[in-house]
Amino acid sequence: MSGEKNITSFVKGLYNTIQKVGINKVINKLNELNMPGFSEYENEIKNYIIITTLKYYGYLLSEVRQPNIRGQKVEARTMCFIHLKKHLNLSHSQIATIFNRTNHSIVSNAITQFSKMNINHKHDKLFLENYSKINTNIKKFKNTLLIEQKEE
């Protein structure tokens, strides 16, 4: 009876957590438990996202970390923001810190603008096409890492 009571209590707690923070965050945390050395895994993905995205645009991390950047550098940095959020679910503050920013609003604004993009607008279409290409590479890399971890 005590075991059943513990399970019921656990399920209620899990249900309340899902209601509070959402199913995706709960699943991400459960997946973390399933992966030994998650921080190393997460760090590898973070580095891959940044390097791959900036290489796609032809920039170095030091170039997009500078204050007052314009044009394609902003687009490259924005693309990094979006992929870091999507693939690692980092907080806006964590992402801002990676790019030497003390205020997370730059990340929040970029992600909000991305969510409002329209494939029918010329600039948005090009950005979304680039997003898709980079996203495909990141997914392949993540799958490769998962396979390597399972083999260990």
Side-chain angles (χ1 to χ4, degrees):
M1 188 69 180
S2 175
E4 192 173 309
K5 188 176 180 180
N6 287 341
I7 291 171
T8 302
S9 176
F10 170 76
V11 170
K12 284 181 182 178
L14 183 60
Y15 175 78
N16 289 336
T17 302
I18 290 170
Q19 294 300 311
K20 186 176 180 180
V21 300
I23 188 74
N24 288 336
K25 286 188 179 182
V26 172
I27 289 172
N28 286 341
K29 289 298 174 188
L30 290 171
N31 285 336
E32 285 179 27
L33 295 174
N34 219 6
M35 290 181 207
F38 182 78
S39 61
E40 181 182 325
Y41 169 81
E42 185 177 51
N43 202 37
E44 283 189 56
I45 293 171
K46 174 188 70 114
N47 291 337
Y48 183 82
I49 289 170
I50 293 169
I51 291 167
T52 301
T53 303
L54 296 179
K55 186 176 180 182
Y56 184 86
Y57 283 93
Y59 296 113
L60 300 172
L61 181 57
S62 59
E63 293 176 286
V64 297
R65 280 183 163 172
Q66 297 172 356
N68 303 319
I69 62 173
R70 301 272 183 259
Q72 286 292 104
K73 288 181 185 177
V74 172
E75 186 172 315
R77 184 181 64 193
T78 298
M79 189 70 74
C80 287
F81 292 170
I82 293 163
H83 285 294
L84 289 168
K85 184 67 178 174
K86 175 185 169 86
H87 293 283
L88 295 173
N89 202 24
L90 298 175
S91 72
H92 294 188
S93 296
Q94 289 171 312
I95 295 169
T97 301
I98 293 168
F99 290 89
N100 290 341
R101 299 289 180 260
T102 55
N103 188 337
H104 69 24
S105 65
I106 193 167
V107 177
S108 300
N109 291 338
I111 291 172
T112 300
Q113 286 176 349
F114 175 71
S115 69
K116 294 178 181 179
M117 285 190 169
N118 183 341
I119 194 85
N120 295 321
H121 290 104
K122 183 180 176 183
H123 182 266
D124 290 358
K125 181 178 180 179
L126 182 59
F127 187 90
L128 292 169
E129 287 171 354
N130 291 337
Y131 167 83
S132 182
K133 290 174 189 174
I134 295 167
N135 192 51
T136 300
N137 291 334
I138 295 167
K139 283 181 181 177
K140 287 178 185 175
F141 180 76
K142 285 173 69 175
N143 287 336
T144 301
L145 277 181
L146 287 173
I147 291 169
E148 288 174 1
Q149 282 190 347
K150 286 182 181 179
E151 289 176 353
E152 290 178 359

